[in-house]
Amino acid sequence: MAFPCVDKIEQRTQKFLQQSIDGGPEPAYSNPVSGYKVYHHNKPFLMDHGGVLPSLDIAYETWGELNEDKSNVILLHTGLSASSHAKSHPDNPAPGWWEKFIGPGLAIDTNRFHVICTNVIGGCYGSTGPSSIDPKDGKPYATRFPIVTINDMVRAQFEMLNSMGIHKLYASVGASMGGMQSLAASALFPDRVGRVVSISAAARSHPYSIALRFTQRQALMADPNWNKGFYYDGVPPHSGMKIAREIATISYRSGPEWEQRFGRKRSQPMTTPSLCADFLIETYLDHQGERFCLQYDPNSLLYVSKAMDMFDLSASVREQISQRREANWKRVLAGQGTSAPANAATPPEEQDQDQQQQQVAACSTDDVKQQSKSSEAGSAGKETGGSQAAAASAKEQLEDLVKGVSGLRDIPTLVLGIQSDILFPVWQQKEVADCLRESGNKNVTYYELDSMYGHDAFLLEIINVGSAVKGHLELRG
Amino acid sequence: MAFPCVDKIEQRTQKFLQQSIDGGPEPAYSNPVSGYKVYHHNKPFLMDHGGVLPSLDIAYETWGELNEDKSNVILLHTGLSASSHAKSHPDNPAPGWWEKFIGPGLAIDTNRFHVICTNVIGGCYGSTGPSSIDPKDGKPYATRFPIVTINDMVRAQFEMLNSMGIHKLYASVGASMGGMQSLAASALFPDRVGRVVSISAAARSHPYSIALRFTQRQALMADPNWNKGFYYDGVPPHSGMKIAREIATISYRSGPEWEQRFGRKRSQPMTTPSLCADFLIETYLDHQGERFCLQYDPNSLLYVSKAMDMFDLSASVREQISQRREANWKRVLAGQGTSAPANAATPPEEQDQDQQQQQVAACSTDDVKQQSKSSEAGSAGKETGGSQAAAASAKEQLEDLVKGVSGLRDIPTLVLGIQSDILFPVWQQKEVADCLRESGNKNVTYYELDSMYGHDAFLLEIINVGSAVKGHLELRG
C-alpha cells in the first residue's frame, strides 16, 4: 500500500533539513502580514501568572478616521490564529479576515468609526510572542516565554490605547477568542468600554473545548521536531501543526455543512480505498492542515490556545489573579528600583508554595494518573460523587460568574451564538447573557443564529452576523 | 518550563529501544484476552476490495447453552477496539465490556440464549489482522494486509457459523461499529437473521464521523515509529496511538457529562498552568491515551476505523461491490484451480481501470489539493454548487439507502440512539429507522435516550439501554 501523505511530510522535513545545511532562509513563521504599525511599550510588562516581559511590541492596523475627541474607537479583537489584518488598506491591499464586515456603510461603518485591530501578545504576527527575541540573549523566547492570559492580551492593548490618548472605547468587538477579549476588556476596564459585542465566545471555557484544544497541543508537542519549543533554527514541527489544524478544523465547522458539501464523496472514486486522505472531507481537512502548518508559529498556538482554556471571568478567579499580580508587582518594581504598589494583599508564603508545587508538577504525571484512575474505577454514577453535590457546586460556580461580570452591568452588550457551533455551543452564549442579566445588566441583547457553518459562521455569515453587529453598534445609546 | 508529558513519551521510546537491543520481549499488542476459542477457516477468503487471505482465524467466546435445534443464537458484534470478551466466564474471569448486560435474567438472558461474540478480522485479539503472520513469508502482514470492510467482518463470522451448523441467528446485536455489523449481517443474509439490534450505529458513515476518525489515523501515521506499518520488530508508535485515543475519547463522551464530572477543575490548582495535562479533563484524556496506547495494535486501528468510514448500505454501493466480488472470485478461483462462479458481471476493463487509477492515487496529493483549493476559494454559498442540487442529490441518496436496506423488511429491528452522541448522532439513528420503515419494514422500534454519556452510553447505561434490548429480544415474535 502506498502512503503519499506520509511521504509528503517526510519530503518537507528533508527540504527544511537541506535548507538548514545550505544555510538557506529559515522558515518564516510570520504570515505574509505587512503594512501594520507597531506600538513599542518600553516598560516591564507583568503577566497574570508572574512572568515579566522587559518590554513589548503590539502590531496593529486601523481603518476609518479617529474623531477629534477620540470617542469613535472600536477595538476589534482577533480569534486564535488571526492577524490584525481584518480588512484591506493601502499599506496591505490583501483581503482581511473580516473584509466584508468593515467599511463604509458596512457592519462596522468606517464612515463613523475608527477601527483598531491588534495582534495579540503570545501570537506571531508582529506582537511580542514566543518567536520574538529575548533581549537577554538575543535568541527567540521559545517556551521560555511566560504563560499568557486573555487578560494579559487585553492589558497590553490598553497600554497601547493609553499611548494613543484614547481613554474610552466606543465599543469592544470580537468573536471566538476575540469575544473573550471583548468581555475581558469590559471586565478589566468597565469605565473605558462603551459597549460590547461578543460572538461565539464564552465567559469561561468548558471542558469539552479544553479537550479539543488539548489534543491539538498534544499532537503538536508529540512531533519530535517541536523539540520542547526550540525549533527556530531547525526543522519546524510542521507535521504536528498539520494534525493540530485538522483537529481544529473539525471543531470550527459543523456536521450539517459537511453533509451537504462533501457527503460521502471520494476524491478518486475508482481507486481502491487508501489510508491517506480518500473521502473528500479528508482531502479538505488535509488541505486545511497543509495551508496552516507553516503559517502560524507552533509555540504561539500552544500559548494562545492555553490562554483560551484558562479564560474564566468568575469573581474568585479574578480575585486570586488580582492578589497574585499585586504580590508580583511588588517584586517587579523592587527589581526595577521603583516603589512598591500601595498594598500587597498576597502573603509571601503563597509564592513559596507556588514554587514548591511547581516542582511537584514537573514529576506529577503518575500522581495525576492515580487520581484519574480512581475516578475511572467508579461506575458512571459514582464518578462525580453524586449529582446533587455537582448541582450545588454548579450553582455556586454560576453565582461566582455572575459576581465576576457584575462590572459590566452598565455596558450594553450583544451576545450572539450559533446553533451549530460545537466549540462554543449556544448554551455557553446563553450563560454569558444570563449571567450579565443576573448581575443587573438591563441592556443585554441575545441572539441565536441557525447557521450551518458552526463556529466559523462569524467569518462567513456576512449579513446575518453583520446585521446584529451593526444594529448593536448604531441603534443603542 | 518543564514538559513531563514529552519526557514520558521519550522514556517509553527509549525503553522499547533498549528492549530491542537487549533482545527482550517484543511489545504485546494483544490485550490480555485469553480463554477464547478459535475457528480456523482453511480456505481463501476474498475481501470486498479485492484482497485475498489464504486462510483466516476467528477468535470467539460464548455464553449460555446452545439449544438442540440451534435456534437460540445471538451473535453479538463488537465496537472498534473491543475484544470478544464481552462477559466473564470460567476460562477468563475478568469482567467483559458488556459484563452487566449478559447473564441469567439480564438484558441478553443466558438462560434463554446462546451468545457468541467474535473478534473482528482486521483486529488484533486473536482473529486474523495486520499483526497476524502472512504465511507467505512468516512475517506480520502489517500494511500489506488488504483493506477490510464491515461486510468482510460479517462474512467471516458467517463462515464460522456455517462450520458450527448454525443456519439462522435468533438475533444480531451490536452497538457502534457492532451496530453496523448487526445491520450488515441482516443485509447480507436476510434469511439467516431473526431480529436486529442496532445501537448508536449508522446505515452509512457521515463526513463528520469520518473526519474524527481521519484525524486519529493521521496522528498515528505521523508518529515516525509507525514506519508505514512496519513496526512489529521495533518501537511501536505509542505516541501517535496515545493522541489518536485522546481524539477518539472526545468523540466517545459528550459535553454535559464532562461539565458535571470535571468542570474547570485543575489537577494541581496551586501550580502555575502548564502546557502538559493541567485541567482534570486533560489528565483524564491523558490517562485514556496512556491506557490504550499499547493495548491495541496501531495497524488494526487504521484498518478497522477505515472500515467504519467506508460503511454504506446504499443499494448502488452494494451493487458495485457485489460486481467487483464476482469478478475477483473468478480470478481467485482460477488461481486456486477451482471453477469460476456462475456469472461474472464485471467487465475485465474495470479491473484494469482500477489499477490505473491506483497508480494515479499514489501521486495524486497535488490534484486533490487543487480540487480542494477550488472548492475553498468560493464563498459559502458557492461551495456546494447550490443547495437545490444538494437537496436533490440528498433525496436520491436517501432513496438509494432505502433500496439498500429493503432486504431487512421482514426483520424486526430495534434502532436506539443517544441524544448526546456526537459521533453517531440521533439524526443518523432516525435515518436508519426511517429508511427501514420506508422500505416496508413494519417492525421497527425507534428509541432515543437522553443519556449524558454520549456515544459511550451503550457501555454505561445498563438499565436504560439494557431494557430496550431485553424487550426487543423477548417480547417480539
Side-chain angles (χ1 to χ4, degrees), chain A residues 128-456:
Chain A
T128 302
S131 58
S132 302
I133 299 300
D134 183 348
K136 269 188 213 143
D137 61 4
K139 290 180 180 163
Y141 280 105
T143 42
R144 302 176 304 170
F145 198 75
I147 286 287
V148 58
T149 66
I150 300 289
N151 283 355
D152 291 330
M153 297 170 184
V154 170
R155 266 192 215 94
Q157 288 164 340
F158 274 74
E159 293 287 357
M160 179 196 74
L161 294 176
N162 290 344
S163 79
M164 293 167 167
I166 295 165
H167 179 68
K168 184 164 181 173
L169 297 173
Y170 181 84
S172 177
V173 175
S176 188
M177 190 181 80
M180 288 178 165
Q181 291 172 72
S182 196
L183 291 167
S186 49
L188 284 171
F189 307 103
D191 300 335
R192 299 183 65 178
V193 177
R195 59 195 73 192
V196 168
V197 173
S198 167
I199 305 167
S200 302
R204 52 180 181 180
S205 285
H206 67 120
Y208 190 78
S209 67
I210 294 174
L212 282 163
R213 287 187 288 266
F214 174 67
T215 53
Q216 292 167 46
R217 290 195 294 268
Q218 289 287 100
L220 171 52
M221 290 162 70
D223 185 334
N225 288 321
W226 178 63
N227 193 31
K228 294 190 177 179
F230 294 86
Y231 50 79
Y232 292 103
D233 53 0
V235 179
H238 57 94
S239 168
M241 277 298 273
K242 182 176 171 179
I243 293 157
R245 187 59 169 194
E246 289 172 355
I247 302 169
T249 303
I250 295 181
S251 71
Y252 294 160
R253 293 294 177 107
S254 72
E257 180 212 356
W258 288 351
E259 199 62 44
Q260 186 172 316
R261 185 169 169 193
F262 304 117
R264 293 185 45 76
K265 286 195 214 82
R266 292 179 60 207
S267 63
Q268 308 272 338
M270 297 308 290
T271 59
T272 301
S274 81
L275 294 171
C276 285
D278 182 353
F279 286 96
L280 272 192
I281 175 62
E282 295 176 311
T283 61
Y284 166 80
L285 290 177
D286 183 84
H287 176 61
Q288 295 297 321
E290 285 285 319
R291 267 211 319 191
F292 187 73
C293 72
L294 292 174
Q295 197 182 77
Y296 194 68
D297 178 35
N299 284 335
S300 282
L301 182 68
L302 297 178
Y303 278 87
V304 177
S305 82
K306 179 74 190 178
M308 292 177 76
D309 290 1
M310 292 185 295
F311 187 60
D312 188 349
L313 286 177
S314 302
S316 60
V317 174
R318 296 184 59 196
E319 178 62 21
Q320 197 183 22
I321 290 174
S322 169
Q323 289 181 2
R324 191 188 308 128
R325 288 187 64 84
E326 286 195 56
N328 283 329
W329 252 128
K330 240 171 123 174
R331 281 185 14 229
V332 173
L333 295 179
Q336 297 292 322
T338 50
S339 63
N343 54 15
T346 316
E349 296 92 275
E350 180 182 313
Q351 189 209 321
D352 292 341
Q353 194 187 13
D354 210 58
Q355 284 174 346
Q356 257 181 2
Q357 293 274 359
Q358 223 169 331
Q359 286 169 348
V360 174
C363 52
S364 68
T365 321
D366 284 335
D367 303 339
V368 164
K369 205 169 148 184
Q370 282 305 327
Q371 196 171 344
S372 178
K373 225 175 213 162
S374 58
S375 78
E376 264 304 280
S379 73
K382 290 180 203 153
E383 281 170 347
T384 56
S387 61
Q388 212 176 348
S393 152
K395 190 164 171 275
E396 276 167 31
Q397 284 166 25
L398 218 54
E399 286 166 358
D400 196 10
L401 191 57
V402 169
K403 204 173 150 196
V405 299
S406 61
L408 283 75
R409 83 167 66 80
D410 298 325
I411 309 175
T413 301
L414 167 65
V415 179
L416 175 60
I418 312 298
Q419 285 168 341
S420 58
D421 188 346
I422 60 158
L423 189 59
F424 289 83
V426 280
W427 67 260
Q428 280 214 309
Q429 313 308 317
K430 195 83 177 63
E431 181 178 272
V432 176
D434 286 347
C435 285
L436 286 171
R437 284 169 177 157
E438 184 70 22
S439 76
N441 193 322
K442 307 244 182 279
N443 293 304
V444 177
T445 304
Y446 176 73
Y447 294 143
E448 284 185 17
L449 184 61
D450 68 342
S451 169
M452 70 171 178
Y453 292 109
H455 187 64
D456 270 0

Side-chain angles (χ1 to χ4, degrees), chain B residues 2 7 40 82 93 113 139 144 148 153 157-158 162 206 218 227 256 300 338 362 398 441 449 455 462 467 470:
Chain B
D7 296 334
H40 185 65
F113 302 115
K139 291 181 180 165
R144 302 177 304 169
V148 59
M153 296 171 185
Q157 289 164 340
F158 275 73
N162 290 344
H206 66 120
Q218 288 287 100
N227 193 31
S300 282
T338 49
L398 218 54
N441 193 322
L449 184 61
H455 187 64
I462 298 161
S467 311
K470 189 177 184 68

